[in-house]
Amino acid sequence: MKDCISEVRMKVTIIYDNTTARPDLQADWGFSALVEVKGRKILFDTGANGRILLSNMEKLGINPKEIEDVFISHSHFDHTGGLSAFLDQNNKVKVWVPPSFRGVKSAKEVIELKKPTKLYEGIYSTGELDGIEQSLCVETEKGIVIIAGCSHPRMEHILEVASQFGKVYGIIGGLHGTSPESLKDLDLICPTHCTQYKSEIRSLYSERYIEGGAGKIIEVE
């Protein structure tokens, strides 16, 4: 039973965010997180500044050379600005991108994700939605956890596509102009980065709300 639990455990470490959960880390406009699940380490987005990204990674004890995959949600600079600096440290990675993001150099492999796709067992992409952004979907014992960059597509659209992979349990990431009402069925809500209605979400869903910030670690079994 113990082995089974460890296999499905998901750990998300926020590396880059507008705020910090630790005083030794630097805040900056942008988002990046390390997703550890099913024996894989996936870097989700790379923030805006490579120096800040790598500095925060070092302080968090994250070795860039141990990461196997980079997942880019969308082409905006606050999510891709640190990519070249990361690839200078480790270019032996697969980079999963939406079709609207081009120009990745030096990576071992670049894979475009146009539609909902299985990356690995229990790890999926929504594919590029509304011509701008994809989200990462991770299977846990409690359901699907969505990792989102900014949630530029309508949240209803993101949830609808993610639900193809299983019942959606929660979401971590930027929620932009997401209506708080659209999150009512989720059991885990961690708004980060560009979320406009963070205080309303915190007030409405206080028992399900998790504060983000660089250095925050979220684990789901």
Side-chain angles (χ1 to χ4, degrees), residues 129-130 146 151 153-163 177-184:
L129 303 181
D130 300 349
I146 301 168
S151 303
R154 289 182 305 104
M155 181 54 60
E156 291 83 358
H157 193 188
I158 295 171
L159 294 173
E160 177 186 6
V161 176
S163 67
T178 294
S179 163
E181 175 67 17
S182 65
L183 306 171
K184 66 183 187 305

Side-chain angles (χ1 to χ4, degrees), residues 14-22 25-30 56 191-193 198 211-216:
I14 299 176
I15 300 169
Y16 205 112
D17 200 357
N18 303 2
T19 61
T20 66
R22 281 176 35 173
L25 301 177
Q26 187 170 342
D28 188 47
W29 183 264
N56 282 359
T192 66
H193 180 40
K198 189 181 285 188
E211 191 68 44
K216 182 68 177 182

Side-chain angles (χ1 to χ4, degrees), residues 65 83-91 106:
K65 298 186 186 304
L83 181 58
S84 61
F86 173 82
L87 291 174
D88 285 343
Q89 300 293 314
N90 177 8
N91 60 13
S106 303

